[in-house]
Amino acid sequence: MREEHKLNKAIEQDGVDTQSEILEELKRRYPQYVEQSNKKQTSARKRGFAFISAIAAAAVCVAVIVPCAVLLPNRNSGTDNGGKDNIRYCAQTEYRALYDVEYTIGEYRENNNRNFLYFDWYEFGEDCNTVCYVSKADNEVLCLEENIYLPTSEEFVQISLTKTNVYLSMFDVVFADCNSEYMVDNHTVKWVVNEAKARCIFEDGGYRYFIQVEPTKDENRLFELVEKLLQTK
C-alpha cells in the first residue's frame, strides 16, 4: 500500500521532477522490463519498455487527459486500435468492481462486436461468474474478469483481459511475479507458479490476458490454457 500511495501521489503532481520520479518508481517496480531495454529486444520486450517510457512522458499532463475508451472504441481517435499511444495507468482509487453483471465474457464479446479471446466452457463449466471493472469517473469498462470451475479437472480458472494500453494497479503484483518466459504459438507468455497457484500474462490482437489456475504446480497447464484460448479466434 505504501508503494501504491507513493506512485499515486507522484501521478497527481506536475512538473519535470515528477516525470523523473515516476520513471524511477516504475523502474524499481518493474525491473525486468528496464533490464531488457538495454538488450536486443523482442517485440514483447519492447512493449514492456514502451510502457515505462510512455507513462513517464505523459505524467506531466495526466491531470488534463480525457479518459479514453478501453474495451469500447477509443473516443479520442474514433478507432479501436489497442495501441500504446494512449497509455493509461489506473490507481485503485480510480476504478471499482461490478459483481452483479448478468453476462458472460462470451456474451459481452458477441453483443458488443469485440474480437477478444475467451474460454468457451459454459456448457460444462460450473459456478461461472463475471466481474466488470469500470472507471469511477464515467463507468467506462476497463477490464473484464471471469471465474469458472471445471469439474472434470477440479480446477478453478480465472481469466482477466484489458486493452494493451491499460494498466490497472491490481495487476502490479502479477507483472512483478511473472518473470519466466515461454513461447506458445509465437506468443510470449510470462508466467509464475507459486505454491498451488499458477499465473501467466500474454498479449494478442490489442488485448492483454491474465490467466490464473488453481490448484496446480504445473506450468505446462498454463501453456495448455493459453493454446486453448488462442483457438477461440
Side-chain angles (χ1 to χ4, degrees), residues 33-62:
Y33 289 106
V34 179
E35 292 171 0
Q36 292 168 358
S37 68
N38 295 323
K39 303 176 182 179
K40 193 171 184 179
Q41 302 166 321
T42 63
S43 58
R45 289 171 177 172
K46 291 178 181 178
R47 286 196 295 270
F49 183 69
F51 156 49
I52 295 174
S53 301
I55 290 183
V60 296
C61 60
V62 69

Side-chain angles (χ1 to χ4, degrees), residues 163-181:
K163 276 296 187 71
T164 53
N165 62 325
V166 173
Y167 293 81
L168 302 186
S169 59
M170 67 181 185
F171 294 120
D172 284 354
V173 174
V174 186
F175 276 111
D177 289 346
C178 291
N179 293 315
S180 300
E181 290 188 2

Side-chain angles (χ1 to χ4, degrees), residues 16-34:
V16 177
D17 291 339
T18 300
Q19 177 178 333
S20 301
E21 181 180 349
I22 292 177
L23 180 57
E24 291 304 314
E25 179 69 9
L26 290 170
K27 284 181 179 180
R28 186 181 67 79
R29 294 176 67 172
Y30 302 106
Q32 67 271 33
Y33 289 106
V34 179

Side-chain angles (χ1 to χ4, degrees), residues 29 61 65 69 72 80 88 91 95 97 128 135 165 167 197 207:
R29 294 176 67 172
C61 60
I65 292 178
L72 303 179
D80 184 19
R88 182 175 182 179
Y95 59 91
C128 178
S135 167
N165 62 325
Y167 293 81
K197 181 185 300 182
Y207 293 92

Side-chain angles (χ1 to χ4, degrees), residues 25 37 77 101 114 127-128 139 147 168-169 173 179 188 217 228 232:
E25 179 69 9
S37 68
S77 63
V101 296
R114 301 294 92 194
D127 299 326
C128 178
N139 287 325
N147 300 271
L168 302 186
S169 59
V173 174
N179 293 315
T188 300
K217 294 184 178 180
K228 288 182 178 296
T232 65

